[in-house]
Amino acid sequence: MKIRILSSLVALGIALQAQTPVKIGVINCVTGTQAPIGEYIGNGYKLALEDLQKKGIKVEIVSEDDTGKPQVSMSAFEKLATRDRVAAVVGPYSSACANAVSKLAEKYKVPLLVPVASKEDITRQNQKFVFRLSATTEDYASILISMAQKLGKPKTMAILNENTDFGTSGAKSAKAYAAQAGLQVVIEEAYAAGSPDYRSTLAKVKAAKPDLVFMVSYVADGILLMRQAREVGLQPQAFLGAGAGFASSEFAREQAISHGVFSSTQWTADVNWSGAKEFGKRYKAKFGKDEVPYHAANAYASMMVMAEAAAKAGGDREKLRAALRDGQWDGIMGPVKFIDYNGYTNQNQHQMLVEQIQNGRHETVWPPNYATKKPLYPFQWK
């Protein structure tokens, strides 16, 4: 009888453990200037939670809004790590915020999975608890410049970037890759994000007569830069946008200034990775959107990976870190595996794509084996 009772209690304990949700923290930019992209990311998490529930994985999400500011992001992480005792954290969005909280992940030994932020240093600090699913600024630059060299014969390039972690990292990567590719960088201009007027900066760029203009900006500045580029008559062979604002539907809708602009991206709705097309259709139907930004796909995949690993580890932080380190996944972002290479630690080596905005829509144009449309080259104002 005692054996039966003991067996029943053990079985009950296992059942209760299986039903206990894993607690995962989310840091996102719900308010502030980056809120539109924060909405995409939040939508990706919502779809992931639906699919995790179908898999029998119960997740309790504890959300924090960092408003796109590193100090707020750090406070949010400390709350999640100490007060809420989450098993892990997914986020935040911006490179500045992700880089700031990465040091706290190591301090508190809480696994952090960065879904979108691309600054190289985030996974180049030999930190055991920091993982990144997204590609790096190095990848953003290399695919755009190599594509331009195959489409035309550019010899010179200008670099325009905001003076944030994301902007300076992207500019540094572009300059380094340009040197490798034999392109001369004729002008570099960093600007303060949110400035009201970029005409004087753009006039300098025009005077340098670059074949390519490489830009690193979030959406509001990206729109204003292109509007004023048109006003000053800047017309290179190609405008190359390093994802972020140039990959957003808000930018694409500005057809007078977005048509023909290239943007590196981590995902498209027509790429042939497992479940990608279905995810795109589902996103459009659920949220009433015409386009599906890569930020949503990155967020979805990151939450799926983290929750599955956390459930496997029973919410134990050290076991979860090991599960992320040893695991591999295949889904809407293609193969995902966290490895060490070229100075990176726990970095997913992700295949980048290039979109071009054609008549208000992002179309996949590069690499050729992923392309659904032919690239328009050289650039002409619509």
Side-chain angles (χ1 to χ4, degrees):
M1 175 67 79
K2 288 182 179 178
I3 293 174
R4 287 181 182 175
I5 292 172
L6 182 60
S7 297
S8 297
L9 288 172
V10 170
L12 178 61
I14 292 171
L16 287 172
Q17 186 179 15
Q19 292 171 12
T20 303
V22 291
K23 189 185 287 188
I24 296 176
V26 165
I27 302 176
N28 193 14
C29 45
V30 180
T31 59
T33 58
Q34 297 164 12
I37 293 179
E39 181 183 354
Y40 307 151
I41 291 170
N43 289 344
Y45 292 147
K46 289 174 186 176
L47 293 179
L49 291 175
E50 289 179 3
D51 287 351
L52 288 164
Q53 188 173 25
K54 291 174 186 175
K55 289 188 170 190
I57 298 174
K58 296 184 178 179
V59 181
E60 179 186 345
I61 295 294
V62 185
S63 297
E64 292 285 340
D65 176 16
D66 69 5
T67 71
K69 298 175 182 176
Q71 199 60 46
V72 179
S73 203
M74 291 171 73
S75 297
F77 191 96
E78 289 192 319
K79 287 179 186 177
L80 293 169
T82 60
R83 181 195 66 187
D84 300 308
R85 301 295 303 169
V86 298
V89 174
V90 179
Y93 163 57
S94 77
S95 286
C97 291
N99 197 44
V101 303
S102 69
K103 296 167 182 63
L104 295 178
E106 207 71 7
K107 175 183 176 180
Y108 292 108
K109 300 189 186 309
V110 176
L112 171 71
L113 180 51
V114 177
V116 181
S118 60
K119 182 181 180 180
E120 294 173 23
D121 289 352
I122 294 168
T123 47
R124 273 193 160 169
Q125 302 174 71
N126 196 31
Q127 297 178 132
K128 294 181 179 179
F129 283 82
V130 180
F131 298 79
R132 175 161 50 186
L133 184 136
S134 63
T136 71
T137 51
E138 185 177 19
D139 303 311
Y140 277 71
S142 61
I143 194 165
L144 284 167
I145 295 170
S146 62
M147 175 204 68
Q149 288 188 303
K150 288 182 174 66
L151 294 178
K153 295 182 179 180
K155 295 180 179 178
T156 59
M157 185 170 80
I159 299 175
L160 267 173
N161 64 281
E162 62 171 54
N163 58 357
T164 61
D165 279 21
F166 169 57
T168 54
S169 177
K172 180 182 176 182
S173 299
K175 186 176 182 180
Y177 189 82
Q180 292 176 29
L183 276 175
Q184 180 188 2
V185 176
V186 291
I187 185 170
E188 295 177 73
E189 288 287 327
Y191 63 85
S195 298
D197 195 330
Y198 299 111
R199 291 181 185 88
S200 61
T201 297
L202 291 164
K204 289 181 189 177
V205 174
K206 181 184 177 183
K209 299 180 180 179
D211 295 325
L212 305 175
V213 175
F214 185 92
M215 303 177 291
V216 194
S217 303
Y218 290 113
V219 61
D221 290 321
I223 291 172
L224 185 56
L225 278 165
M226 288 302 296
R227 282 178 180 166
Q228 295 182 345
R230 182 167 191 165
E231 287 178 25
V232 302
L234 177 59
Q235 187 168 325
Q237 289 183 25
F239 283 103
L240 308 176
F246 303 101
S248 70
S249 55
E250 285 83 3
F251 180 80
R253 282 198 291 268
E254 301 280 337
Q255 291 191 43
I257 51 96
S258 66
H259 182 72
V261 175
F262 291 103
S263 170
S264 48
T265 185
Q266 309 211 29
W267 180 90
T268 63
D270 52 9
V271 71
N272 58 2
W273 293 326
S274 178
K277 293 183 178 67
E278 292 77 11
F279 176 84
K281 292 175 184 175
R282 183 175 159 207
Y283 185 97
K284 291 177 183 178
K286 184 172 181 68
F287 301 110
K289 304 292 185 181
D290 293 329
E291 290 201 44
V292 189
Y294 72 85
H295 311 82
N298 282 50
Y300 171 90
S302 296
M303 183 57 71
M304 293 297 292
V305 166
M306 184 62 94
E308 288 176 8
K312 181 179 178 181
D316 181 275
R317 290 172 176 175
E318 179 55 41
K319 290 180 180 177
L320 172 51
R321 184 199 67 78
L324 289 170
R325 178 69 185 178
D326 299 335
Q328 51 186 344
W329 297 263
D330 189 18
I332 69 167
M333 294 295 291
V336 172
K337 184 170 177 59
F338 303 108
I339 62 174
D340 302 343
Y341 69 96
N342 295 344
Y344 294 108
T345 303
N346 297 332
Q347 173 66 51
N348 179 41
Q349 201 166 18
H350 182 61
Q351 169 66 56
M352 289 292 289
L353 308 169
V354 177
E355 294 178 306
Q356 186 179 42
I357 301 166
Q358 298 180 3
N359 301 313
R361 297 184 62 84
H362 286 98
E363 305 287 358
T364 310
V365 296
W366 203 265
N369 55 317
Y370 290 107
T372 55
K373 293 277 187 177
K374 289 184 178 181
L376 306 175
Y377 197 98
F379 176 84
Q380 290 185 336
W381 291 107
K382 191 172 183 180

